[in-house]
Amino acid sequence: MKFQETGRYHLMYMKTKGLGWKETQGIQNIGFEDFQGNRIVDQKQVLKIWDNYVTELYDRTNRPEFLEVEPELEVETDEKIPYILKSEVGKAIKEMRNKKATGDNDVPGDVLKLLGDGGWKILTKLINTIYKTGEWPKDFTEVTMFALKKKTQATKCSDHRTISLIAHTAKIIAKILRRWTEGKVEDVLGEDQFGFRRGKGTRDEIRIMRIIAERTLEIDEELCICFIDWQKAFDRVNWTKLMQILRRTGIDWRERKLISKLYMDQRVKV
């Protein structure tokens, strides 16, 4: 071999290992395991396995048939915040990353950035119509789910991480809703709540836990730490309880209505 002739044995080893890995990998990943552990190779049956997995995960038995939001007549004017401003829409669009995958409507975020002031004005009018009525367009609630391997030899649904491709216009509304709710939610969260918060990453919590552990060892005391790993925690949130908490937290009526409709009307295809 050329690498051997020139004395570069480490490159020869890496090349040989790479070729062997590809061949072995192709053999090991033939088929897909069903819930009984049987190896399935038929594509239609594999899709059926995924259909059952996603249905069990999201369309579970304790899913509510509807999410109650109080009628508009019972809502005070103070609970309805003003409509969405064009500046808020523009800010959400500017925060989008370039060359991100599109949703089912095939409209990339890069195009939204090129609309300019006139296009953002029209888009703001459309978003305010959605915000006022509380009804999401059908193409906003239909998402395509892709499965990414967590490990190289992934033969089960649980060995994959599912991601959903959502329309970029729907992401604009979601960004604005998140920004509005963050301020109110921050007021009720404790100082010991880390993760998914601005300025409070999990690295800070790990550092605090390490300091506590070191100081405990210094005085020769016992320390008990409990680690809980919830399976698909965010996919198994009790929606009814979530809506009750949002109302108690002071989230506005229109926002809660949009969130509830998004949960109930969303449809997924794998």
Side-chain angles (χ1 to χ4, degrees):
M1 294 178 64
K2 182 172 64 175
F3 291 142
Q4 185 178 8
E5 293 173 356
T6 56
R8 292 182 290 178
Y9 293 100
H10 63 292
L11 296 178
M12 181 183 70
Y13 172 75
M14 291 175 61
K15 183 66 176 178
T16 306
K17 183 179 179 182
L19 293 173
W21 179 85
K22 290 180 181 178
E23 182 179 355
T24 307
Q25 187 69 18
I27 296 173
Q28 292 177 342
N29 276 352
I30 293 177
F32 203 85
E33 289 188 14
D34 60 9
F35 296 103
Q36 286 76 37
N38 302 318
R39 191 61 66 93
I40 307 298
V41 295
D42 183 71
Q43 186 178 5
K44 291 183 178 179
Q45 294 184 18
V46 172
L47 290 175
K48 184 64 177 178
I49 294 173
W50 271 110
D51 180 63
N52 293 335
Y53 176 78
V54 175
T55 300
E56 182 182 357
L57 184 62
Y58 295 100
D59 197 15
R60 53 195 185 281
T61 54
N62 63 340
R63 172 182 173 175
E65 295 184 2
F66 53 88
L67 288 176
E68 281 287 353
V69 178
E70 64 275 21
E72 186 173 5
L73 295 176
E74 300 178 9
V75 180
E76 298 181 2
T77 307
D78 294 341
E79 294 186 44
K80 300 178 184 178
I81 65 175
Y83 293 137
I84 298 171
L85 302 177
K86 186 181 67 175
S87 59
E88 294 176 301
V89 174
K91 183 178 181 180
I93 293 175
K94 291 177 182 179
E95 290 176 351
M96 287 185 173
R97 296 180 181 179
N98 295 327
K99 299 180 180 180
K100 295 290 287 184
T102 62
D104 287 352
N105 60 2
D106 290 329
V107 179
D110 308 56
V111 172
L112 298 177
K113 293 183 178 181
L114 298 175
L115 291 177
D117 189 73
W120 291 358
K121 184 177 180 180
I122 297 174
L123 189 59
T124 302
K125 184 177 180 180
L126 169 64
I127 291 176
N128 273 315
T129 301
I130 297 172
Y131 181 68
K132 181 180 179 180
T133 60
E135 298 291 335
W136 294 84
K138 187 178 180 181
D139 57 340
F140 283 19
T141 56
E142 292 183 350
V143 300
T144 301
M145 181 178 292
F146 286 87
L148 302 178
K149 293 181 180 179
K150 293 181 181 178
K151 53 185 180 180
T152 54
Q153 300 177 15
T155 58
K156 302 178 182 178
C157 295
S158 57
D159 295 336
H160 295 73
R161 179 180 293 104
T162 55
I163 61 170
S164 300
L165 299 183
I166 306 172
H168 284 290
T169 315
K171 289 182 180 179
I172 295 174
I173 304 175
K175 281 178 176 289
I176 295 172
L177 289 178
R178 186 199 66 190
R179 189 174 291 116
W180 284 352
T181 56
E182 271 183 351
K184 296 179 180 179
V185 172
E186 282 290 331
D187 293 337
V188 298
L189 291 179
E191 290 297 321
D192 56 350
Q193 174 67 48
F194 291 82
F196 300 98
R197 297 176 67 184
R198 295 183 185 275
K200 284 186 174 291
T202 52
R203 286 182 295 181
D204 300 324
E205 189 172 16
I206 294 172
R207 189 181 300 111
I208 293 173
M209 186 172 65
R210 179 173 179 175
I211 293 173
I212 294 174
E214 290 176 351
R215 292 181 178 177
T216 304
L217 290 173
E218 289 175 358
I219 59 177
D220 195 24
E221 290 286 344
E222 291 185 355
L223 174 65
C224 297
I225 302 176
C226 179
F227 293 93
I228 302 176
D229 184 13
W230 296 102
Q231 182 183 17
K232 305 294 183 182
F234 289 96
D235 302 322
R236 299 179 183 274
V237 172
N238 186 311
W239 297 350
T240 303
K241 192 70 176 178
L242 173 64
M243 299 307 298
Q244 294 173 356
I245 294 174
L246 289 177
R247 185 177 184 181
R248 290 202 304 267
T249 307
I251 304 302
D252 297 283
W253 177 77
R254 286 196 176 100
E255 296 173 36
R256 288 187 282 112
K257 185 177 180 182
L258 271 178
I259 293 172
S260 65
K261 293 292 290 185
L262 182 61
Y263 272 108
M264 296 305 301
D265 295 347
Q266 198 168 59
R267 298 293 179 266
V268 178
K269 61 181 179 181
V270 181

PDB file of all heavy atoms in Angstrom, residues 9-22:
ATOM      1  N   TYR A   9       2.487   4.335   8.848  1.00  0.00           N
ATOM      2  CA  TYR A   9       1.691   3.192   9.273  1.00  0.00           C
ATOM      3  C   TYR A   9       0.422   3.624  10.031  1.00  0.00           C
ATOM      4  O   TYR A   9      -0.593   2.931  10.001  1.00  0.00           O
ATOM      5  CB  TYR A   9       2.537   2.271  10.163  1.00  0.00           C
ATOM      6  CG  TYR A   9       3.665   1.601   9.423  1.00  0.00           C
ATOM      7  CD1 TYR A   9       4.963   2.086   9.504  1.00  0.00           C
ATOM      8  CD2 TYR A   9       3.426   0.479   8.624  1.00  0.00           C
ATOM      9  CE1 TYR A   9       5.999   1.470   8.812  1.00  0.00           C
ATOM     10  CE2 TYR A   9       4.455  -0.137   7.933  1.00  0.00           C
ATOM     11  CZ  TYR A   9       5.740   0.365   8.022  1.00  0.00           C
ATOM     12  OH  TYR A   9       6.756  -0.240   7.331  1.00  0.00           O
ATOM     13  N   HIS A  10       0.480   4.768  10.709  1.00  0.00           N
ATOM     14  CA  HIS A  10      -0.697   5.207  11.454  1.00  0.00           C
ATOM     15  C   HIS A  10      -1.844   5.560  10.502  1.00  0.00           C
ATOM     16  O   HIS A  10      -3.010   5.293  10.788  1.00  0.00           O
ATOM     17  CB  HIS A  10      -0.347   6.415  12.329  1.00  0.00           C
ATOM     18  CG  HIS A  10       0.070   7.634  11.576  1.00  0.00           C
ATOM     19  ND1 HIS A  10       1.253   7.705  10.870  1.00  0.00           N
ATOM     20  CD2 HIS A  10      -0.559   8.838  11.403  1.00  0.00           C
ATOM     21  CE1 HIS A  10       1.356   8.901  10.301  1.00  0.00           C
ATOM     22  NE2 HIS A  10       0.279   9.593  10.620  1.00  0.00           N
ATOM     23  N   LEU A  11      -1.498   6.125   9.317  1.00  0.00           N
ATOM     24  CA  LEU A  11      -2.531   6.429   8.325  1.00  0.00           C
ATOM     25  C   LEU A  11      -3.075   5.150   7.695  1.00  0.00           C
ATOM     26  O   LEU A  11      -4.262   5.050   7.391  1.00  0.00           O
ATOM     27  CB  LEU A  11      -1.972   7.365   7.255  1.00  0.00           C
ATOM     28  CG  LEU A  11      -1.549   8.755   7.736  1.00  0.00           C
ATOM     29  CD1 LEU A  11      -0.963   9.567   6.584  1.00  0.00           C
ATOM     30  CD2 LEU A  11      -2.743   9.498   8.338  1.00  0.00           C
ATOM     31  N   MET A  12      -2.188   4.179   7.494  1.00  0.00           N
ATOM     32  CA  MET A  12      -2.633   2.897   6.948  1.00  0.00           C
ATOM     33  C   MET A  12      -3.605   2.211   7.915  1.00  0.00           C
ATOM     34  O   MET A  12      -4.626   1.651   7.502  1.00  0.00           O
ATOM     35  CB  MET A  12      -1.424   1.999   6.690  1.00  0.00           C
ATOM     36  CG  MET A  12      -1.775   0.629   6.093  1.00  0.00           C
ATOM     37  SD  MET A  12      -0.330  -0.428   5.877  1.00  0.00           S
ATOM     38  CE  MET A  12       0.031  -0.776   7.605  1.00  0.00           C
ATOM     39  N   TYR A  13      -3.282   2.302   9.206  1.00  0.00           N
ATOM     40  CA  TYR A  13      -4.148   1.686  10.207  1.00  0.00           C
ATOM     41  C   TYR A  13      -5.518   2.362  10.242  1.00  0.00           C
ATOM     42  O   TYR A  13      -6.552   1.694  10.300  1.00  0.00           O
ATOM     43  CB  TYR A  13      -3.481   1.792  11.584  1.00  0.00           C
ATOM     44  CG  TYR A  13      -4.382   1.365  12.721  1.00  0.00           C
ATOM     45  CD1 TYR A  13      -4.644   0.027  12.964  1.00  0.00           C
ATOM     46  CD2 TYR A  13      -4.972   2.325  13.549  1.00  0.00           C
ATOM     47  CE1 TYR A  13      -5.465  -0.361  14.002  1.00  0.00           C
ATOM     48  CE2 TYR A  13      -5.794   1.943  14.586  1.00  0.00           C
ATOM     49  CZ  TYR A  13      -6.036   0.593  14.810  1.00  0.00           C
ATOM     50  OH  TYR A  13      -6.862   0.222  15.825  1.00  0.00           O
ATOM     51  N   MET A  14      -5.530   3.693  10.184  1.00  0.00           N
ATOM     52  CA  MET A  14      -6.793   4.432  10.218  1.00  0.00           C
ATOM     53  C   MET A  14      -7.637   4.121   8.996  1.00  0.00           C
ATOM     54  O   MET A  14      -8.856   3.962   9.092  1.00  0.00           O
ATOM     55  CB  MET A  14      -6.514   5.934  10.310  1.00  0.00           C
ATOM     56  CG  MET A  14      -5.913   6.376  11.641  1.00  0.00           C
ATOM     57  SD  MET A  14      -5.458   8.121  11.654  1.00  0.00           S
ATOM     58  CE  MET A  14      -7.053   8.863  11.357  1.00  0.00           C
ATOM     59  N   LYS A  15      -6.995   4.020   7.822  1.00  0.00           N
ATOM     60  CA  LYS A  15      -7.727   3.721   6.595  1.00  0.00           C
ATOM     61  C   LYS A  15      -8.324   2.326   6.641  1.00  0.00           C
ATOM     62  O   LYS A  15      -9.487   2.114   6.285  1.00  0.00           O
ATOM     63  CB  LYS A  15      -6.787   3.863   5.399  1.00  0.00           C
ATOM     64  CG  LYS A  15      -7.457   3.652   4.047  1.00  0.00           C
ATOM     65  CD  LYS A  15      -8.472   4.728   3.751  1.00  0.00           C
ATOM     66  CE  LYS A  15      -9.065   4.579   2.361  1.00  0.00           C
ATOM     67  NZ  LYS A  15     -10.093   5.598   2.069  1.00  0.00           N
ATOM     68  N   THR A  16      -7.527   1.356   7.109  1.00  0.00           N
ATOM     69  CA  THR A  16      -8.002  -0.023   7.205  1.00  0.00           C
ATOM     70  C   THR A  16      -9.144  -0.143   8.202  1.00  0.00           C
ATOM     71  O   THR A  16     -10.136  -0.824   7.965  1.00  0.00           O
ATOM     72  CB  THR A  16      -6.849  -0.947   7.622  1.00  0.00           C
ATOM     73  OG1 THR A  16      -5.758  -0.769   6.719  1.00  0.00           O
ATOM     74  CG2 THR A  16      -7.283  -2.405   7.601  1.00  0.00           C
ATOM     75  N   LYS A  17      -8.991   0.541   9.329  1.00  0.00           N
ATOM     76  CA  LYS A  17     -10.038   0.508  10.349  1.00  0.00           C
ATOM     77  C   LYS A  17     -11.335   1.116   9.833  1.00  0.00           C
ATOM     78  O   LYS A  17     -12.422   0.617  10.094  1.00  0.00           O
ATOM     79  CB  LYS A  17      -9.566   1.268  11.596  1.00  0.00           C
ATOM     80  CG  LYS A  17     -10.558   1.227  12.749  1.00  0.00           C
ATOM     81  CD  LYS A  17     -10.022   1.986  13.946  1.00  0.00           C
ATOM     82  CE  LYS A  17     -11.033   1.963  15.083  1.00  0.00           C
ATOM     83  NZ  LYS A  17     -10.558   2.735  16.262  1.00  0.00           N
ATOM     84  N   GLY A  18     -11.217   2.205   9.068  1.00  0.00           N
ATOM     85  CA  GLY A  18     -12.404   2.847   8.522  1.00  0.00           C
ATOM     86  C   GLY A  18     -13.151   1.965   7.547  1.00  0.00           C
ATOM     87  O   GLY A  18     -14.377   1.867   7.560  1.00  0.00           O
ATOM     88  N   LEU A  19     -12.414   1.269   6.693  1.00  0.00           N
ATOM     89  CA  LEU A  19     -13.043   0.362   5.734  1.00  0.00           C
ATOM     90  C   LEU A  19     -13.712  -0.807   6.440  1.00  0.00           C
ATOM     91  O   LEU A  19     -14.821  -1.206   6.101  1.00  0.00           O
ATOM     92  CB  LEU A  19     -11.996  -0.156   4.742  1.00  0.00           C
ATOM     93  CG  LEU A  19     -11.404   0.881   3.780  1.00  0.00           C
ATOM     94  CD1 LEU A  19     -10.262   0.268   2.987  1.00  0.00           C
ATOM     95  CD2 LEU A  19     -12.478   1.424   2.852  1.00  0.00           C
ATOM     96  N   GLY A  20     -13.038  -1.352   7.444  1.00  0.00           N
ATOM     97  CA  GLY A  20     -13.613  -2.464   8.190  1.00  0.00           C
ATOM     98  C   GLY A  20     -14.846  -2.055   8.963  1.00  0.00           C
ATOM     99  O   GLY A  20     -15.816  -2.784   9.029  1.00  0.00           O
ATOM    100  N   TRP A  21     -14.834  -0.821   9.530  1.00  0.00           N
ATOM    101  CA  TRP A  21     -15.990  -0.338  10.300  1.00  0.00           C
ATOM    102  C   TRP A  21     -17.214  -0.182   9.418  1.00  0.00           C
ATOM    103  O   TRP A  21     -18.301  -0.564   9.785  1.00  0.00           O
ATOM    104  CB  TRP A  21     -15.631   1.004  10.930  1.00  0.00           C
ATOM    105  CG  TRP A  21     -16.756   1.582  11.727  1.00  0.00           C
ATOM    106  CD1 TRP A  21     -17.070   1.330  13.017  1.00  0.00           C
ATOM    107  CD2 TRP A  21     -17.746   2.513  11.267  1.00  0.00           C
ATOM    108  NE1 TRP A  21     -18.160   2.031  13.414  1.00  0.00           N
ATOM    109  CE2 TRP A  21     -18.608   2.761  12.368  1.00  0.00           C
ATOM    110  CE3 TRP A  21     -17.987   3.157  10.059  1.00  0.00           C
ATOM    111  CZ2 TRP A  21     -19.686   3.630  12.264  1.00  0.00           C
ATOM    112  CZ3 TRP A  21     -19.064   4.018   9.966  1.00  0.00           C
ATOM    113  CH2 TRP A  21     -19.892   4.245  11.057  1.00  0.00           C
ATOM    114  N   LYS A  22     -17.019   0.344   8.213  1.00  0.00           N
ATOM    115  CA  LYS A  22     -18.156   0.549   7.313  1.00  0.00           C
ATOM    116  C   LYS A  22     -18.792  -0.774   6.931  1.00  0.00           C
ATOM    117  O   LYS A  22     -20.010  -0.919   6.895  1.00  0.00           O
ATOM    118  CB  LYS A  22     -17.694   1.292   6.056  1.00  0.00           C
ATOM    119  CG  LYS A  22     -17.323   2.741   6.310  1.00  0.00           C
ATOM    120  CD  LYS A  22     -16.865   3.420   5.033  1.00  0.00           C
ATOM    121  CE  LYS A  22     -16.460   4.865   5.297  1.00  0.00           C
ATOM    122  NZ  LYS A  22     -15.956   5.526   4.070  1.00  0.00           N
TER     123      LYS A  22
END
